[in-house]
Amino acid sequence: MLKKTGLSKRLSKKLKSLRKAIRSFEQKFERRGYRSPFKIHPPLVEKVSLIVPTYNVEQYIEEFLASVTSQTTGLRNLEAIIVDDGSTDRSGEIAQAWARRFPKTIKYIRQENRGAAAARNTGLDHATGEWVSFPDPDDILDRKWLHTFNKELKRKHGNEVLLIARPIRFYYDELNTYRSHPLAGQYVCRSELRVEEVEDFILLNANGTFFRRKTIEGMGIRFDGNVRPTFEDGHFINRLIVSCPDKSIVLLPKPPYIYRKRGALNSLVDRSRNNPLWYTSQIRYGYLDLLRFAVRKSGEVPRFIQRVVLYDVGWRFKHLLNHAERAAFLSDSQLQEFKTLLNEVLTYIEPKTIREMDCGPVTEEYKVGLLSTYKDEDRSNDFIYLH
């Protein structure tokens, strides 16, 4: 028995070493933009357009493009549209070099700097796929990213699928570590939801989601450049969802979308909280416009729309609570506008939605303050806080 155990351990060690050597060999192919000869999956059954808004990402774009062209499904029925939004570094040069290497797959378009929303809209105008997605060029796609999507396309669905979403996983490049997104709990297992039955689902990211392009075109929906500095994804996605009550949403648990958190903290999202527009335009053209759009479409604000807005606006409470100095750069008129807009947003959020919020920044102490300040309601609080 001891001899068998020893033999088993030696075999296990050799197999582990062999797998490691094979993976190292595969990665050499993938870093050059070619799929592994040991991981070949069937090609895409429907054409996919990856629309990639690009601005000053020379440090990351090559790794991203390699992760696109090395997908295990191969290049058939795949197009990647790189929309260079007036980059001033080598991003465009690098993208064009890859377009020359993969001319049937990668398209390069350059425009004057007009922001990510305009770049994505340009990509939509040129897309030819049945499905579109909007990955960012500083992120990384798992090599089976398209394979698992392709498997889902082959399934039978009760209703026409509007979108297919997956969780986000943060990659902190400076620390070389991964962390889950606060909304990762929504993706524990594969699920299919009719839009009219959606209540608690929160979707804010277009980079990890595939959308049926004909529906986007049929609804005439585009990204709104007025929604700045962030939330243009949430505004776009949720206007689309609320417009299609007869369709379905599919959630896939893996592989997650790898969202890079730069060590320099110089991404648009990282800089947003120091931008006055985060306190004004984003609320006016993002949250309020979405809430009013939902009322026009549904006659009311569906619960999932309320939760989307409450989740996203809630990061301001977390950022500012006990740190009023963080808003000191706002002028008196901007601070007053922020308070007025916030008050208007909260008129659309039902007390029940606040009480039952179970994810993100809206913790129990914030619920107490929101209900007291905006709903004239004292929340019975039986919770014990441990510090």
Side-chain angles (χ1 to χ4, degrees):
M1 185 70 181
L2 289 174
K3 288 183 179 180
K4 288 184 179 179
T5 302
L7 178 61
S8 176
K9 286 182 177 179
R10 287 196 298 274
L11 284 173
S12 177
K13 187 175 181 179
K14 286 184 177 181
L15 285 172
K16 185 176 181 180
S17 178
L18 179 61
R19 284 195 294 267
K20 187 176 180 179
I22 291 173
R23 185 65 191 123
S24 177
F25 178 75
E26 289 180 313
Q27 287 173 335
K28 290 180 181 179
F29 275 83
E30 292 165 0
R31 280 195 290 268
R32 295 174 60 196
Y34 302 109
R35 67 173 167 175
S36 163
F38 304 119
K39 281 289 182 183
I40 297 178
H41 289 123
L44 291 164
V45 294
E46 295 183 27
K47 189 171 183 179
V48 172
S49 298
L50 301 179
I51 297 170
V52 188
T54 300
Y55 182 74
N56 287 1
V57 286
E58 64 178 0
Q59 184 178 348
Y60 311 105
I61 191 170
E62 195 144 27
E63 183 179 9
F64 167 77
L65 290 171
S67 76
V68 171
T69 58
S70 63
Q71 288 290 302
T72 62
T73 47
L75 302 180
R76 189 189 305 176
N77 277 338
L78 174 64
E79 71 175 0
I81 303 173
I82 312 301
V83 183
D84 183 353
D85 192 42
S87 293
T88 57
D89 66 0
R90 294 183 58 249
S91 298
E93 178 185 333
I94 295 168
Q96 289 179 80
W98 278 75
R100 288 192 293 270
R101 284 182 61 195
F102 300 94
K104 294 182 180 179
T105 302
I106 299 177
K107 299 178 181 179
Y108 174 79
I109 301 169
R110 182 175 174 86
Q111 65 182 29
E112 292 183 3
N113 181 253
R114 292 188 284 132
R120 286 171 165 177
N121 290 337
T122 296
L124 277 171
D125 292 340
H126 289 81
T128 61
E130 283 88 356
W131 294 86
V132 294
S133 187
F134 303 89
D136 292 320
D138 54 349
D139 294 333
I140 309 164
L141 302 183
D142 184 280
R143 61 179 180 163
K144 295 183 182 179
W145 178 251
L146 291 176
H147 170 59
T148 52
F149 167 74
N150 201 37
K151 287 172 65 178
E152 184 61 38
L153 292 183
K154 297 175 183 178
R155 281 179 175 264
K156 290 186 178 180
H157 302 95
N159 298 87
E160 184 175 79
V161 176
L162 171 64
L163 61 84
I164 299 173
R166 271 180 283 200
I168 284 178
R169 193 179 187 199
F170 293 125
Y171 171 59
Y172 292 80
D173 62 358
E174 196 170 69
L175 302 174
N176 194 29
T177 58
Y178 294 86
R179 293 177 188 169
S180 295
H181 190 280
L183 297 174
Q186 299 180 129
Y187 301 87
V188 175
C189 61
R190 180 198 173 273
S191 56
E192 184 175 344
L193 310 170
R194 284 179 59 90
V195 168
E196 62 185 10
E197 298 170 347
V198 172
E199 288 195 349
D200 293 339
F201 181 59
I202 297 174
L203 183 57
L204 292 165
N205 297 94
N207 47 20
T209 305
F210 290 89
F211 305 86
R212 196 179 292 275
R213 187 171 68 89
K214 72 174 185 181
T215 307
I216 295 174
E217 298 300 338
M219 296 293 173
I221 291 178
R222 287 292 189 268
F223 290 89
D224 187 346
N226 290 315
V227 184
R228 298 166 56 205
T230 61
F231 195 68
E232 66 269 21
D233 286 25
H235 184 254
F236 171 86
I237 293 168
N238 289 284
R239 282 184 299 147
L240 187 64
I241 294 175
V242 82
S243 298
C244 303
D246 59 332
K247 301 189 187 303
S248 293
I249 293 171
V250 173
L251 311 182
L252 299 179
K254 60 183 181 180
Y257 178 84
I258 307 301
Y259 184 108
R260 186 191 302 270
K261 298 289 283 185
R262 305 181 197 174
L265 297 178
N266 60 353
S267 72
L268 182 64
V269 173
D270 291 325
R271 301 193 311 267
S272 63
R273 296 174 187 186
N274 296 320
N275 187 334
L277 298 180
W278 196 61
Y279 302 87
T280 55
S281 293
Q282 183 168 324
I283 300 176
R284 182 185 304 280
Y285 299 112
Y287 308 143
L288 279 174
D289 185 76
L290 173 59
L291 291 163
R292 292 165 182 161
F293 183 89
V295 171
R296 291 196 299 272
K297 285 289 182 180
S298 305
E300 61 181 3
V301 181
R303 176 182 167 91
F304 80 91
I305 296 290
Q306 294 182 45
R307 282 172 58 86
V308 162
V309 172
L310 182 59
Y311 174 91
D312 209 69
V313 80
W315 294 108
R316 288 157 184 78
F317 309 141
K318 184 177 178 65
H319 182 63
L320 297 175
L321 186 67
N322 298 323
H323 290 283
E325 75 280 358
R326 291 176 176 173
F329 68 94
L330 296 175
S331 67
D332 290 343
S333 61
Q334 288 170 336
L335 190 58
Q336 184 57 49
E337 184 181 4
F338 170 52
K339 293 177 180 178
T340 301
L341 291 170
L342 195 59
N343 186 71
E344 189 172 355
V345 165
L346 268 297
T347 63
Y348 288 92
I349 311 296
E350 298 173 0
K352 185 174 186 287
T353 303
I354 298 173
R355 288 195 296 268
E356 297 179 357
M357 194 67 179
D358 55 0
C359 61
V362 185
T363 60
E364 186 63 25
E365 58 185 322
Y366 296 155
K367 294 178 188 179
V368 172
L370 287 170
L371 290 168
S372 173
T373 304
Y374 296 98
K375 302 297 179 182
D376 293 324
E377 178 180 313
D378 289 329
R379 176 168 171 77
S380 57
N381 192 349
D382 297 326
F383 291 85
I384 298 174
Y385 292 96
L386 300 177
H387 296 279

